[in-house]
Amino acid sequence: VCVDQGHPLNEPSNLRETETRRIPKTDSMSSSTMVGASSSWSRAMLQISPYTFSAVGIAIAIGVSVLGAAWGIYITGSSLIGAAIKAPRITSKNLISVIFCEAVAIYGVIVAIILQTKLESVPASNIYAPESLRAGYAIFASGIIVGFANLVCGFVPPFTQFPVNATS
């Protein structure tokens, strides 16, 4: 039983166990309610602290970069082991691809440190000022761009490796 205790039609004395009464639709609940509901996302985004967006962007930059590097090392390392079995003399030459994958993770860490240094202390009265919001959204977007670019770099090594010809 759904009961709104504040509405007179939904008093417990007027309801049976299996019956539910609904609040009648008024003129104020017209299509303008949907317009207000669609802008609730923008209102919610403006209520979140810019520091939260900055922190999430920095976390995405480092976390997704390391994830992309780990995936690249996994793919490259497993193919290097297969190549080392067929042609042991080329093992040291192929380690450069693992080093590049590690460089992707290091790049994500460096960008996260740079983004962290861009954070400034703002008085509580100015935390929702347009400049503070812009800075928070900019750091958030930078973290997403760097993180997912490095994730794509982790998926690229399988497409750049060529089959090893053991006879050459």
Side-chain angles (χ1 to χ4, degrees):
V1 175
C2 178
V3 176
D4 181 11
Q5 297 294 334
H7 198 275
L9 289 177
N10 292 332
E11 292 297 323
S13 62
N14 295 340
L15 290 176
R16 293 183 300 189
E17 286 286 311
T18 59
E19 181 181 346
T20 302
R21 295 210 182 166
R22 301 192 185 270
I23 299 172
K25 185 176 179 182
T26 62
D27 292 335
S28 65
M29 296 173 68
S30 62
S31 63
S32 66
T33 304
M34 294 305 293
V35 173
S38 66
S39 65
S40 66
W41 281 103
S42 62
R43 278 186 273 149
M45 296 300 265
L46 290 175
Q47 294 301 318
I48 298 173
S49 171
Y51 286 106
T52 303
F53 279 107
S54 300
V56 169
I58 292 168
I60 288 173
I62 195 166
V64 178
S65 294
V66 170
L67 186 67
W71 183 257
I73 291 170
Y74 168 72
I75 296 295
T76 306
S78 62
S79 66
L80 287 179
I81 290 173
I85 291 171
K86 287 186 176 184
R89 64 183 173 10
I90 64 169
T91 303
S92 61
K93 293 178 184 177
N94 286 336
L95 287 179
I96 191 74
S97 57
V98 173
I99 294 169
F100 283 146
C101 291
E102 291 173 3
V104 166
I106 293 170
Y107 177 67
V109 170
I110 290 171
V111 169
I113 291 170
I114 291 171
L115 291 177
Q116 183 70 30
T117 62
K118 297 294 179 184
L119 292 179
E120 296 177 358
S121 180
V122 177
S125 61
N126 292 338
I127 196 165
Y128 292 107
E131 183 66 25
S132 296
L133 290 172
R134 185 202 58 80
Y137 294 144
I139 292 175
F140 177 70
S142 301
I144 286 179
I145 290 169
V146 168
F148 284 100
N150 288 341
L151 182 66
V152 171
C153 288
F155 289 114
V156 170
F159 302 115
T160 60
Q161 294 177 358
F162 298 103
V164 176
N165 188 357
T167 60
S168 59

